Amino acid sequence: MTDGLYVGMTAATARAQQLEAVADNLANAQTPGFKATTPTFETYMVGDGSSQAPYVVASSTNVDRREGTTVISGNPLDVVPEGDLFLAVSMPGGQRGFTRAGRLSVDASGMLSAAGHPLLGASGGPILVPPGAAPTIRENGEVVVAGSVVDSISLFKLEGELQRVGPSLLLPQGKAVPQGETRLRVGELEMGNGNMLDAAVQLVAVQRHFDNAIQAIQTYRKMDSQAVELGRVRG
């Protein structure tokens, strides 16, 4: 019975991870720049040639690159990068992160920020705005203050798999290639790319599969207990 118990446990663990991903996608469907994730599962046959059991594990997590729904905000500091390009931000430790969360703001130190981190400009460093100034963003990425260009927003194309390190923050496993031409849609905002209806349906289905796996574990435990009790009676 032990093999059946372990099979049920691995299935329940895999479904719990899937349940967490679906719930996260549903909760962040309206989060600017959010990219939904989907875990990938693999089955391994464990045991010798005469007795093998299938164990299921979550081998990786795929980030959905598709664009989310775009809304017209009218906010002059809201931007949407054209195509599949990303804004670059400075993360703690000097690492670069990438995002499509285009709700920009000026923090207390005068730096233009996106997704809670300093936005990086064409100069390679944070984009600084004079104290008390109200910046304007042009469609070509130029950041203008009082009629003067203080810096430009750079866009990047991300290669390879993506790792999500926050609701709207990504790290590429390959290269981040800077683009020569910057095109932004100003006054618009890209929301999460998860479909709320699909996620809600998936949530119910995955919860059902998880409950079935737990039921299987309980059944095998009961069978093990009965086998032990039968052995005692015969002894």
Side-chain angles (χ1 to χ4, degrees), residues 130-206:
T136 300
I137 311 297
R138 292 176 177 170
E139 291 183 352
N140 64 356
E142 292 179 340
V143 180
V144 181
V145 176
S148 299
V149 177
V150 296
D151 207 334
S152 294
I153 296 173
S154 296
L155 297 182
F156 293 79
K157 187 175 184 62
L158 306 185
E159 298 180 351
E161 297 296 325
L162 301 178
Q163 176 188 359
R164 210 178 72 196
V165 293
S168 305
L169 200 58
L170 300 166
L171 294 178
Q173 303 303 297
K175 295 180 180 179
V177 182
Q179 302 301 291
E181 182 180 0
T182 296
R183 297 298 299 175
L184 300 170
R185 300 201 301 272
V186 181
E188 300 182 29
L189 194 64
E190 181 182 304
M191 310 307 289
N193 66 351
N195 184 293
M196 295 183 68
L197 180 58
D198 288 346
V201 172
Q202 291 176 23
L203 195 65
V204 174
V206 175

Side-chain angles (χ1 to χ4, degrees), residues 18-159:
Q18 186 180 16
L19 194 62
E20 182 178 353
V22 174
D24 188 40
N25 294 342
L26 179 60
N28 288 285
Q30 295 300 310
T31 298
F34 175 80
K35 297 300 178 186
T37 58
T38 304
T40 300
F41 300 100
E42 291 187 19
T43 301
Y44 294 91
M45 300 303 295
V46 179
D48 54 31
S50 60
S51 177
Q52 291 188 329
Y55 285 14
V56 182
V57 297
S59 58
S60 62
T61 300
N62 297 322
V63 177
D64 188 350
R65 291 173 176 261
R66 292 179 301 171
E67 290 186 47
T69 302
T70 300
V71 298
I72 306 296
S73 67
N75 186 336
L77 290 184
D78 285 349
V79 299
V80 176
E82 289 284 2
D84 59 351
L85 305 181
F86 289 80
L87 305 167
V89 298
S90 177
M91 297 173 59
Q95 190 175 26
R96 281 191 312 180
F98 297 88
T99 184
R100 285 183 63 86
R103 176 157 285 169
L104 309 183
S105 61
V106 180
D107 66 18
S109 60
M111 289 189 292
L112 201 61
S113 65
H117 298 277
L119 182 66
L120 298 179
S123 62
I127 299 175
L128 297 175
V129 176
T136 300
I137 311 297
R138 292 176 177 170
E139 291 183 352
N140 64 356
E142 292 179 340
V143 180
V144 181
V145 176
S148 299
V149 177
V150 296
D151 207 334
S152 294
I153 296 173
S154 296
L155 297 182
F156 293 79
K157 187 175 184 62
L158 306 185
E159 298 180 351

